[in-house]
Amino acid sequence: MIVGARPNFVKVAPIIRVARQQADVECLLVYAGRRDDPTLEPSLFADLQMPEPDVCLGVDSDRLNEITSRVMAEFDRLLDEHPIDVVIVVDDLASTMAAAIVTKKRGIQLAHLVAGTRSFDITMPKEINRLVIDALSDYLFTAGVKSTGVATREQSEASHTYLVGNILMDTLRMNRDRLRQPAVVDGRRIVDQQYAVFTLNRRALLADEPLLRRMLTEMVSVGWEIVAPLRGEARKVVTRQLEAMAADGLSTDRFHLVDPLSYLEFGWLTAHARVIVTDSGNVAEEATFNGIPCITLNSYTEHQETVSVGTNVLVGEDADRLRQALATLQRGEWKKCALPDRWDGRTAERIVQILISE
């Protein structure tokens, strides 16, 4: 099993746990990055109750084509040393696609976790990754009805599509009683169910600073406490815009820009929020699980069930629509929501059983 970024560990943890409970199954966890990757906080593996990677390929680059070529070379060497029956790849990263290509060139069975997700925007690098990985995969494990339909239509004669459910729910259900209140809440005006959580990562939003400033202005104008655990470029850009807003006379005292939180702390923060404003699909899924209203700064979502059934609303890159969504919430008129099908915490069991039986 190979993962390429921090969010992937959250998804594979349940599969590793179930697989290692099987007497006749061996599971090798491979990370495409460095063992000392700063995005992997020291508590991550303990929080997820999972082992650290057995192997780290050591690839560290921001250039997608370089990531692809280096992961292909390192993963190919790894397969020389380890006989593998099936490789499980996760999501739609460049490293995921690289591992998928090497796997099929080796004639090894390939399983894609969270298959069938599409933006239908071929200009997006991740969309190309999704198309390639799904086309190569022997097992397409999907999270919802829409992605199952996509995967089924596109699958090759040799591949099989399985609606196994949302793997994130396995991790959320297992850790729900282990969530920890973060220190950032102590000593501040932050009260349970009376604050917003803001996360930001998309390059398109970070690049358009005037638009981002309008969105931040709409959020601050509501008057709620806002907690924003941001890192790297997102933190720099948001800090710059908050300073500009303050210079123009707009109070930003209730906007709390904080350091990134551990998995269990961030889980507590989002589970007790009044609303989450994000550009992350994973965060939107967790919001639906917790029944927390979620506003996504994107025009599409890989998991449509968070919108059609869950708590998520898409406002795109549009400050006016963000203001309207916040106003709807203030009036207490948020839509009625439910848990989508197969968000029951048994996705990992289904996946392992399918692979064993095949």
Side-chain angles (χ1 to χ4, degrees):
M1 184 179 308
I2 180 167
V3 300
R6 182 188 182 279
N8 295 164
F9 286 108
V10 182
K11 296 181 180 180
V12 303
I15 299 177
I16 293 173
R17 184 170 58 254
V18 173
R20 293 188 173 178
Q21 292 171 351
Q22 312 301 314
D24 55 347
V25 174
E26 293 185 17
C27 183
L28 184 72
L29 177 60
V30 179
Y31 178 45
R34 301 174 0 223
R35 193 168 292 277
D36 62 347
D37 188 332
T39 66
L40 306 181
E41 68 271 19
S43 66
L44 178 63
F45 300 105
D47 285 352
L48 295 174
Q49 301 182 85
M50 67 178 293
E52 294 188 16
D54 299 294
V55 179
C56 291
L57 300 183
V59 177
D60 182 16
S61 175
D62 293 328
R63 299 174 64 87
L64 298 181
N65 288 337
E66 182 178 349
I67 292 172
T68 302
S69 61
R70 290 180 60 190
V71 169
M72 289 181 69
E74 295 298 328
F75 192 56
D76 192 46
R77 276 192 282 270
L78 177 72
L79 294 180
D80 283 336
E81 303 168 2
H82 298 276
I84 301 292
D85 296 311
V86 60
V87 172
I88 301 176
V89 296
V90 189
D91 287 336
D92 50 17
L93 303 174
S95 56
T96 308
M97 181 182 68
I101 293 171
V102 172
T103 298
K104 293 313 295 178
K105 284 189 174 183
R106 287 274 190 154
I108 299 172
Q109 295 281 290
L110 176 67
H112 187 198
L113 180 59
V114 197
T117 59
R118 295 288 184 275
S119 67
F120 301 103
D121 182 358
I122 200 64
T123 65
M124 294 179 59
K126 285 188 176 182
E127 185 74 355
I128 297 173
N129 297 344
R130 295 163 185 156
L131 290 166
V132 172
I133 299 163
D134 279 357
L136 294 175
S137 295
D138 302 283
Y139 303 93
L140 298 164
F141 295 130
T142 63
V145 173
K146 184 174 181 179
S147 56
T148 299
V150 170
T152 300
R153 288 193 303 271
E154 297 180 0
Q155 71 182 25
S156 67
E157 293 182 2
S159 63
H160 302 279
T161 299
Y162 301 91
L163 173 54
V164 294
N166 192 323
I167 193 69
L168 275 181
M169 302 309 114
D170 292 37
T171 300
L172 287 172
R173 288 181 181 276
M174 185 185 74
N175 292 298
R176 197 169 195 177
D177 295 332
R178 301 176 62 241
L179 300 180
R180 294 195 302 266
Q181 178 175 315
V184 64
V185 175
D186 299 334
R188 296 176 184 258
R189 300 187 301 266
I190 300 172
V191 182
D192 192 7
Q193 294 287 323
Q194 295 300 317
Y195 63 89
V197 174
F198 175 59
T199 76
L200 179 67
N201 189 56
R202 287 178 59 219
R203 293 182 181 181
L205 285 174
L206 293 174
D208 192 342
E209 294 196 30
L211 170 61
L212 179 59
R213 180 172 175 177
R214 291 197 298 274
M215 288 184 165
L216 291 172
T217 299
E218 296 297 346
M219 293 170 59
V220 169
S221 298
V222 174
W224 297 333
E225 306 295 326
I226 302 170
V227 183
L230 302 178
R231 72 169 81 236
E233 186 64 19
R235 188 184 185 94
K236 293 178 183 177
V237 172
V238 170
T239 298
R240 188 158 56 240
Q241 294 310 311
L242 290 175
E243 291 173 349
M245 290 159 59
D248 287 344
L250 182 62
S251 175
T252 58
D253 292 345
R254 292 190 174 185
F255 195 105
H256 307 280
L257 190 60
V258 303
D259 292 333
L261 301 174
S262 71
Y263 175 78
L264 295 180
E265 289 174 328
F266 184 73
W268 189 97
L269 190 73
T270 55
H272 292 80
R274 182 172 184 180
V275 63
I276 299 169
V277 181
T278 184
D279 59 1
S280 166
N282 288 346
V283 173
E285 293 167 60
E286 294 179 8
T288 281
F289 175 79
N290 290 315
I292 304 298
C294 183
I295 301 171
T296 295
L297 307 178
N298 208 336
S299 57
Y300 83 97
T301 174
E302 291 90 345
H303 299 284
Q304 187 61 37
E305 61 270 21
T306 64
V307 176
S308 59
V309 179
T311 63
N312 192 19
V313 169
L314 305 179
V315 299
E317 299 167 4
D318 190 323
D320 291 334
R321 291 174 64 189
L322 172 60
R323 181 182 66 253
Q324 293 166 11
L326 290 170
T328 297
L329 182 62
Q330 283 183 298
R331 294 194 300 269
E333 298 175 357
W334 205 256
K335 61 180 179 175
K336 294 182 179 180
C337 311
L339 276 182
D341 185 34
R342 297 205 176 186
W343 285 35
D344 55 5
R346 299 185 62 188
T347 295
E349 294 177 23
R350 297 185 187 103
I351 289 171
V352 172
Q353 188 55 49
I354 289 168
L355 294 176
I356 291 175
S357 63
E358 292 284 338

